[in-house]
Amino acid sequence: MSGTQRDSFTVSDSARFDFVVIILALLTAFAPLSIDMYLPAFTAIAADYQTDTHRVELSLSAFFFGLFIGQLLYGTATDKFGRKKPLYIGLAIYVVTSIACAWAPDIEWLIVLRFFQAIGACAGIVIARAVVRDLYTPQASARVFSFLILVMGVAPILAPLFGNYVTEWFGWRAIFWIVSVLGVACAFVIHLVLPETRGRRYDVRMRHSGRTYWDVLKDRSFLRYSLTGGIAQAGLFAYITGSPLMFIELFDFTPSAYSWLFGANAVGIIGFSQLNGWLLKYYPARKILNVSLPILAVVSVGMAVAAYVKAPVWGILVPLFAYISTLGLVFPNAMAGALANQQERAGSASAVTGSLQFLIAGLVSMGVNSVSGLTDYAMAWVIGSTGIIAVVTYRLMRYEEPESAA
């Protein structure tokens, strides 16, 4: 595959396309694996450290803030040094801190180490998005992001189930040993088969990172799509943070049943992301986003109503499934729109959009943790607001875009 941008894929290079996408999905999967695999172990971790699940949730919030800060560290570096060298550094940090998490002597150490584990994990997120922007046009990149969600969707389906059984058989610390081995294996595969899509650039200066990021943020189109996608995705992270408490403690789900529930919602986002890939053959990404965002707002209102009336479990599960599934239409197109005009600074733009999203995610995660002290339906209340705020943000930042925009 050449480094030129393309809007279509030919039969001769389809196998190559699939293989590159799978490699990129592996890179972006480290963050969701590191989040989803240990969710069913919250109770075991709390028992081991003789604390409560609220304290364990702080390790998840720390991971989100690590993803926020870490992506800014990689953005300009990947534009200056190429895509692969910063990636190797990130994977090395991830492996070392994962091993350290397995040895963490108390919850305070685990919280700190999870922050640095995220610093390593986010290298894959930034660089995978930058590689997509290196190789594809905005419309094609939306299709690629849909493929990434398909491959990444295996993580939230299998990771909680796998993490639950690993915790039962070997203890929760084994989870971190497993992800460290995966990090080593991924680095080996990348070294052998992933091409460098952008060589070193001597005109990019690390000391100008702040200025570059500010220039990206001043791009109104970038900010509109990034904030919209980040706020919408915040509902997903509210679900990740608050669902163990709601379903395991409020609705008495077993860890195994909770894992299956998590997988069922992942099936929804996978299915809709592939529907998005099909729709992109016929409609621009922006038009799909214009329709899917109001749907997200409607189901989020349903979630808020369910929280208000203290609905039983099915009253929560139905709008939750609809919300998570609709993200499969919203997120790929918002991401493609954010990177559409960022050809020369794709790495920096990828870092900024990712950091914005995980800053919002970290704040939402802490918000769920705080609100959970007031109501057992904290997750539902927070998700109930994210869809509405996302569509309001998208409409308020509306302006006349060129027809070629995503």
Side-chain angles (χ1 to χ4, degrees):
M1 178 181 297
S2 69
T4 58
Q5 300 165 357
R6 302 176 303 169
D7 197 25
S8 61
F9 315 115
T10 62
V11 175
S12 62
D13 66 10
S14 61
R16 175 68 168 171
F17 163 74
D18 291 339
F19 194 57
V20 169
V21 169
I22 289 172
I23 294 173
L24 297 178
L26 286 174
L27 292 176
T28 55
F30 277 103
L33 276 174
S34 301
I35 294 169
D36 302 333
M37 194 179 295
Y38 94 131
L39 292 179
F42 271 24
T43 302
I45 295 172
D48 192 12
Y49 288 138
Q50 297 182 342
T51 185
D52 55 39
T53 54
H54 292 291
R55 291 282 289 169
V56 180
E57 285 177 356
L58 290 177
S59 68
L60 186 58
S61 299
F63 194 88
F64 289 148
F65 281 113
L67 291 174
F68 157 60
I69 294 174
Q71 292 186 73
L72 294 176
L73 299 177
Y74 293 104
T76 307
T78 191
D79 282 339
K80 178 176 178 61
F81 297 108
R83 308 307 188 198
K84 295 183 72 171
K85 289 181 180 179
L87 180 57
Y88 290 140
I89 293 173
L91 286 173
I93 295 172
Y94 180 81
V95 170
V96 170
T97 52
S98 296
I99 294 172
C101 284
W103 287 98
D106 53 44
I107 188 62
E108 287 76 18
W109 269 105
L110 183 64
I111 292 170
V112 172
L113 288 169
R114 286 283 286 171
F115 173 83
F116 288 103
Q117 186 191 33
I119 297 290
C122 65
I125 300 173
V126 172
I127 293 166
R129 290 172 178 169
V131 170
V132 171
R133 192 61 192 90
D134 290 340
L135 299 176
Y136 306 105
T137 61
Q139 184 75 2
S141 66
R143 292 175 57 195
V144 177
F145 285 127
S146 294
F147 275 100
L148 292 185
I149 289 179
L150 170 63
V151 181
M152 288 172 60
V154 175
I157 292 176
L158 298 181
L161 291 170
F162 185 67
N164 178 58
Y165 291 120
V166 168
T167 302
E168 287 183 358
W169 296 338
F170 304 105
W172 65 267
R173 295 177 189 270
I175 293 172
F176 293 101
W177 286 107
I178 290 170
V179 296
S180 67
V181 171
L182 290 176
V184 173
C186 189
F188 181 72
V189 171
I190 289 166
H191 178 70
L192 291 179
V193 299
L194 185 67
E196 176 61 81
T197 60
R198 173 129 175 197
R200 177 166 182 160
R201 287 187 56 184
Y202 292 93
D203 60 321
V204 177
R205 298 287 185 267
M206 294 295 294
R207 65 176 180 272
H208 296 158
S209 297
R211 184 188 305 170
T212 302
Y213 292 150
W214 179 245
D215 288 341
V216 171
L217 283 170
K218 289 192 297 184
D219 185 322
R220 186 177 176 86
S221 175
F222 169 86
L223 196 58
R224 181 193 190 200
Y225 286 108
S226 288
L227 286 177
T228 298
I231 294 168
Q233 194 184 30
L236 174 64
F237 291 109
Y239 160 60
I240 291 171
T241 302
S243 59
L245 180 64
M246 172 174 280
F247 292 111
I248 294 177
E249 297 192 12
L250 176 63
F251 292 118
D252 295 323
F253 278 40
T254 65
S256 179
Y258 167 77
S259 300
W260 283 105
L261 164 66
F262 209 84
N265 284 318
V267 170
I269 194 171
I270 290 172
F272 274 66
S273 69
Q274 297 320 291
L275 172 63
N276 185 63
W278 178 79
L279 290 172
L280 285 164
K281 298 177 182 178
Y282 307 101
Y283 304 100
R286 185 175 58 175
K287 289 188 177 180
I288 299 173
L289 192 61
N290 289 343
V291 173
S292 57
L293 269 174
I295 296 174
L296 196 77
V298 169
V299 297
S300 71
V301 170
M303 183 72 79
V305 171
Y308 180 75
V309 301
K310 299 188 183 303
V313 64
W314 287 106
I316 299 295
L317 290 178
V318 172
L320 176 63
F321 179 82
Y323 188 98
I324 301 301
S325 298
T326 307
L327 286 176
L329 296 174
V330 172
F331 187 70
N333 299 310
M335 180 58 60
L339 299 181
N341 301 322
Q342 307 297 328
Q343 294 90 334
E344 295 303 316
R345 52 191 185 192
S348 298
S350 174
V352 174
T353 189
S355 291
L356 280 174
Q357 289 161 4
F358 283 106
L359 173 61
I360 296 170
L363 294 173
V364 165
S365 177
M366 292 183 67
V368 171
N369 190 275
S370 300
V371 176
S372 62
L374 304 175
T375 173
D376 292 330
Y377 289 82
M379 180 201 78
W381 276 112
V382 174
I383 293 177
S385 63
T386 53
I388 299 171
I389 298 174
V391 75
V392 168
T393 300
Y394 186 70
R395 295 301 179 188
L396 287 179
M397 298 190 70
R398 185 177 182 178
Y399 72 106
E400 194 64 32
E401 298 180 76
E403 290 298 319
S404 60

